Structures are given as structure tokens and as C-alpha cells.
Amino acid sequence: MAHKILLVGSTGYLGQALMLQLQPAGQVIPTHRSRALFKGSWRYDFWTDILSDFIQQERVDTVVIAASMAGSAVEFTVFQQCVQQLMLAIKHCRVIYISSDGIFSGRKGNYTEEDIPDPITSYGRNLHYFEQIVQQRCANYCIIRPSYLYGYSQGKLDSRLSGARESLLAGKHLTYFSDMLKSPMEVNQVARAIVVLTLSNYIGIVHVAGPAVSIYDFYREAMKQLGISCQHLHAELMPADFPHPRDTSLNTSLLQTLTGIEPLSIRDALHM
């Protein structure tokens, strides 16, 4: 019998890349909330639907949670209830949860998987809660933390870079922080790493990301590779009271050990 994988969130930027790369690994059942993109997609709403019966009827082996629920503007108690309900339904499956670098405060950077989460935003606190429940309820799990995702998924450039490109082409001035650090990684490479980890026996947390770079340098290099003038691209320092993490760069030594994947440079990623 084919290995059955339920992909929660197949219509998102990462979800679409994951759908294509998961298909050779088994029978993939994609889900959507409003509009299906793939044949055989099943409508599922994290906030209202219960998965228990579906998981049992379909005999799902693995659940990959790629939908971004942590950023929704809902009461925390409602979020907690929905997370617990989902985990109760899938606790006997292998669970792959796609979290984020937003789980860290950004006070130190180069975070390893052993560093204790210390979120400073509601988004980060939701991520942390989701991770905790996955670890408490599921014996067979892998929590994956990416940073910025970028590049072409299904031939479409990510919204960050496409938005910046359009603004610069229109003659607008854009300013980015030169002291806010992330670990961007090309979306199809991230999807590939997730597939490798999904099919492995590894249990734990893995950072799936690229080298640390400032937001300003990331956009400058990306625009250069897209053939866009950076004349109107400017750098500035983060205000002292800015309510977002300063340096959430991720250490990826474990990623390379487990998967052998070397992150592409921004140049190579945008010329694939």
C-alpha cells in the first residue's frame, strides 16, 4: 500500500513547491481552505474542521503542516484549542510541522536547534505554542524552521521580491534595515529538504535555511540578479524601539549533516 501523506496548506507559496516534490514519495492528499489548486484536493479549515475521521478513513501515514496559522489575528485561546484539536487527530501519524525563525527574539543570532525559544511577537508566541504541542502529543515528529523563503515557485517569483521589483521599476524609493539579519533560502531547496526529512526517521528540530545576510543586502543582491537598478534602494538602521527581532539568523550545520543540501547563493537561486 502506498505511503499516504496529507499536505495541509498546498495552495501557499511553499505548499505548491512541496506538492510537486512530495508526489514521487507516495500518495499525497493536498488540502485547501478556499480554492483548490491540485486534483484531488480536500477542503480543510484549521479553524472550523475536525480531521479525526478523515485521518482514520484515509489511513494517513504522515501529515505535513505547511499552512501558516500562527500569523492569524485570533484570540490566543482559540488558537490553542484549534492546535490541540489538530494534534489529537494526527498524533499517531508522523508529523512534520513547518515553523519559523520568528520563534526567537533576535538578541543573539546564529541560533541552533538547542537554543531555547524566546519569542517577542504574538506570531512567535503562537509558533512556540504549536511546537510545544507537537512535541508533547506526537511521538514521531520533525519540526522544521525556515527563515525567508524566496525564488520561483511554480514559475512565480515570491511576493517580497516581486513587490520590490515592481516598486523600483515604478521609480519608488525603498528602504531596508542593514542590521536586521535573516537566513534566506530558495523555496525549492527548502521544499527538497522538507521532503528528505519527511521521509527520514529523524525526530527533533531542524533549521532549514541559508547563510546570514542583512535584509538590505538581501534585497540589493536579489534586485541586481533580477536586472533591476538599485539606485532607489536605501539602507537604514533599525530604531531602538522597533518591535521585531533584530537577528534571527539560523545555524544550519544539522541540516547539512542530515540532508547534504548546500544552500544556493542568491545569484544561483534566481537564475535556476
Side-chain angles (χ1 to χ4, degrees):
M1 184 178 294
H3 188 87
K4 280 194 177 182
I5 303 170
L6 180 68
L7 174 57
V8 178
S10 68
T11 62
Y13 175 61
L14 174 60
Q16 292 182 54
L18 266 175
M19 182 63 188
L20 295 183
Q21 296 201 38
L22 277 170
Q23 285 177 324
Q27 181 182 344
V28 183
I29 305 171
T31 75
H32 64 279
R33 187 180 181 188
S34 56
R35 183 173 65 91
L37 292 183
F38 299 99
K39 183 179 179 180
S41 185
W42 186 69
R43 188 187 179 283
Y44 167 67
D45 189 329
F46 169 75
W47 305 105
T48 59
D49 297 335
I50 298 175
L51 272 180
S52 303
D53 291 344
F54 181 82
I55 294 291
Q56 293 178 6
Q57 291 169 6
E58 294 295 327
R59 297 185 179 181
V60 173
D61 300 294
T62 299
V63 179
V64 179
I65 306 171
S68 179
M69 288 85 84
S72 301
V74 298
E75 291 287 339
F76 184 56
T77 53
V78 174
F79 179 75
Q80 288 177 306
Q81 291 169 0
C82 291
V83 171
Q84 292 177 22
Q85 181 174 272
L86 174 58
M87 288 305 110
L88 183 63
I90 65 177
K91 64 181 181 179
H92 297 302
C93 303
R94 175 159 172 77
V95 174
I96 311 299
Y97 173 55
I98 315 303
S99 185
S100 163
D101 62 350
I103 202 164
F104 295 115
S105 67
R107 296 188 179 97
K108 78 178 202 67
N110 194 34
Y111 288 96
T112 70
E113 289 81 359
E114 287 73 35
D115 282 316
I116 298 173
D118 56 345
I120 60 173
T121 65
S122 58
Y123 171 64
R125 286 187 283 273
N126 285 350
L127 289 172
H128 188 203
Y129 180 77
F130 212 129
E131 286 194 9
Q132 288 178 309
I133 298 303
V134 169
Q135 292 171 303
Q136 291 171 12
R137 301 288 174 84
C138 305
N140 187 0
Y141 71 88
C142 183
I143 293 170
I144 295 172
R145 294 177 183 151
S147 181
Y148 264 16
L149 305 180
Y150 73 98
Y152 295 92
S153 178
Q154 297 283 288
K156 184 178 180 181
L157 186 63
D158 66 276
S159 59
R160 286 191 184 98
L161 294 185
S162 61
R165 178 175 62 183
E166 291 172 10
S167 294
L168 291 172
L169 286 173
K172 296 179 181 179
H173 288 256
L174 297 178
T175 302
Y176 296 102
F177 295 130
S178 59
D179 58 345
M180 176 185 276
L181 274 67
K182 292 283 189 178
S183 296
M185 189 171 179
E186 194 272 332
V187 65
N188 295 290
Q189 274 205 306
V190 172
R192 179 181 158 213
I194 292 171
V195 171
V196 171
L197 292 167
T198 296
L199 300 178
S200 75
N201 295 319
Y202 183 78
I203 295 174
I205 300 169
V206 185
H207 291 168
V208 176
V213 64
S214 75
I215 300 300
Y216 170 73
D217 287 335
F218 169 71
Y219 276 94
R220 186 175 182 83
E221 178 62 17
M223 291 303 107
K224 176 183 174 183
Q225 297 306 325
L226 293 171
I228 306 299
S229 170
C230 295
Q231 181 181 356
H232 292 163
L233 194 64
H234 311 289
E236 70 176 4
L237 297 178
M238 289 178 64
D241 59 349
F242 194 69
H244 290 281
R246 182 180 298 273
D247 181 358
T248 56
S249 57
L250 301 174
N251 184 296
T252 58
S253 299
L254 182 59
L255 166 70
Q256 294 175 31
T257 298
L258 293 174
T259 69
I261 294 175
E262 291 282 348
L264 293 169
S265 66
I266 297 172
R267 177 186 180 280
D268 290 341
L270 294 177
H271 289 283
M272 290 177 65

